[in-house]
Amino acid sequence: MSITVEEQVTLTRERRELLTEASTAFPCIAYDACYGQVGGRSVPWHWHEELELAYVTEGSARFSLPDQTLDLHACEGIFINSNVLHAASGTPQCRIQTIVFHPSLVAGPTTSVFASKYLKPLLAASHLAGYRLAHTEHPSALAAFQAAFMALEEEPYGFEFAAREGLSQVCLAMAKLAAAPASSHPNEPHRTRDSTRMHAMLEHIRDHLSERLSVADIAASASVGERECLRCFKRTIGMSPMQYVMQSRIEEGARRLIEYPADSASSVAKRCGFSSPAYFSNMFKRLFGCTPRTFRQQALKKKPASVPSLARTPVENVASRYRGSAQADC
């Protein structure tokens, strides 16, 4: 069944994902996402306090994290830890089911044994920033995810219990992996330092995206030198600070073209920090394969199904629901 994309993932200025559909009473939201729809773009670099589980039902996807890239095919999943920078892209016709949930949903109070014995070590395990769940190696964890997703999708009476049970089983499997001796993961301090610096620098970029930015400005926001700033960006997300700035400005422009259809391309370009509409159009075409005008026309003509880069359909209890989705034969 073709799923209509009704929402976009909302990112704060700090590149943190905002779960607008979730609530403190049940801090969990699920998405059924189609990737690679326009220009091959999908979810840009961001992070959030919540844990994330994703499962590829069709096609293949690439999840990028600091220091690692994980390629997933149909019937494979991924665990992404709290506050970990990540991005995702998919092949055409790629479909991914995702559950984003706060650790407290599984752990309960911070004083509970679930929090202190299992979740706290898991959240601190930087060697588990991202972990690929292959169906041949982790069938039980993937089955638990699918049970949780189905509960969130169909919403039978008591679905919250079923969802929490499935997510708890996945977290237990990950907690067992987190219990591995720390000596076998010598790069953890280095990765943690880079992550802290990147959070600070990405926040600065988002706060000043429409302004003139330099490597010196970005480096100063994390109290590092320009050379270390360049190395940090290269190590973590594989691009230079200014390349990231350009990509962020173009993606912000794409978002504004859709969310503010009355704004001219010139106005959007200025708000995103471009010196001229022509330069914005040129850079936009390089990334998305079409001009801003064509992009907007295509997106609004089929809205919301053609929203490209952050499109994910929420299926949890607060959001609009659908019945029946295409499932891969795993």
Side-chain angles (χ1 to χ4, degrees), residues 179-230:
S183 58
S184 63
H185 311 289
N187 292 327
E188 287 186 22
H190 175 74
R191 291 177 178 176
T192 301
R193 183 178 66 248
D194 276 356
S195 179
T196 301
R197 289 172 174 175
M198 286 300 297
H199 283 198
M201 290 188 285
L202 296 191
E203 285 184 11
H204 179 80
I205 290 172
R206 294 308 302 175
D207 285 341
H208 302 277
L209 194 61
S210 64
E211 305 169 17
R212 185 182 297 274
L213 285 167
S214 68
V215 174
D217 297 329
I218 297 169
S221 68
S223 300
V224 298
E226 292 183 39
R227 290 186 178 180
E228 180 58 25
C229 170
L230 292 167

Side-chain angles (χ1 to χ4, degrees), residues 65-195:
L65 294 85
D67 299 327
Q68 63 177 321
T69 298
L70 300 172
D71 291 319
L72 274 64
H73 303 287
C75 306
E76 294 182 332
I78 186 173
F79 166 84
I80 300 176
N81 216 329
S82 173
N83 288 318
V84 171
L85 280 168
H86 59 284
S89 61
T91 59
Q93 308 306 318
C94 174
R95 184 179 296 277
I96 303 176
Q97 295 175 342
T98 306
I99 301 178
V100 182
F101 62 100
H102 196 275
S104 62
L105 179 66
V106 171
T110 56
T111 55
S112 73
V113 66
F114 305 104
S116 60
K117 185 177 180 180
Y118 302 103
L119 267 296
K120 186 176 181 180
L122 174 57
L123 298 179
S126 58
H127 64 286
L128 289 179
Y131 188 83
R132 179 173 170 267
L133 298 168
H135 61 88
T136 55
E137 300 174 6
H138 302 281
S140 297
L142 292 175
F145 168 86
Q146 289 176 305
F149 192 90
M150 183 176 296
L152 293 168
E153 175 187 357
E154 298 184 352
E155 296 183 8
Y157 182 75
F159 74 92
E160 296 93 342
F161 286 103
R164 186 173 64 174
E165 179 183 358
L167 296 175
S168 295
Q169 291 181 25
V170 178
C171 285
L172 177 58
M174 298 308 303
K176 291 179 180 178
L177 294 173
S183 58
S184 63
H185 311 289
N187 292 327
E188 287 186 22
H190 175 74
R191 291 177 178 176
T192 301
R193 183 178 66 248
D194 276 356
S195 179

Side-chain angles (χ1 to χ4, degrees), residues 30 48 54-55 60 103 152 173 175 195 214 221 262 269 276 278 283 285 287 311:
H48 40 74
Y55 179 79
S60 60
L152 293 168
S195 179
S214 68
S221 68
S276 71
M283 294 296 102
K285 189 173 183 179
L287 188 63

Side-chain angles (χ1 to χ4, degrees), residues 206-284:
R206 294 308 302 175
D207 285 341
H208 302 277
L209 194 61
S210 64
E211 305 169 17
R212 185 182 297 274
L213 285 167
S214 68
V215 174
D217 297 329
I218 297 169
S221 68
S223 300
V224 298
E226 292 183 39
R227 290 186 178 180
E228 180 58 25
C229 170
L230 292 167
R231 287 192 290 263
C232 190
F233 266 81
K234 190 66 176 179
R235 283 193 300 260
T236 53
I237 63 176
M239 65 178 71
S240 72
M242 300 316 296
Q243 286 174 326
Y244 176 83
V245 169
M246 178 59 67
Q247 180 176 309
S248 296
R249 284 174 169 164
I250 297 171
E251 288 172 340
E252 174 66 9
R255 184 186 69 82
R256 286 184 170 274
L257 285 168
I258 298 171
E259 290 192 9
Y260 304 98
D263 288 359
S264 66
S266 298
S267 175
V268 170
K270 184 177 181 180
R271 288 180 177 275
C272 295
F274 286 93
S275 57
S276 71
Y279 186 44
F280 170 56
S281 181
N282 185 31
M283 294 296 102
F284 191 96

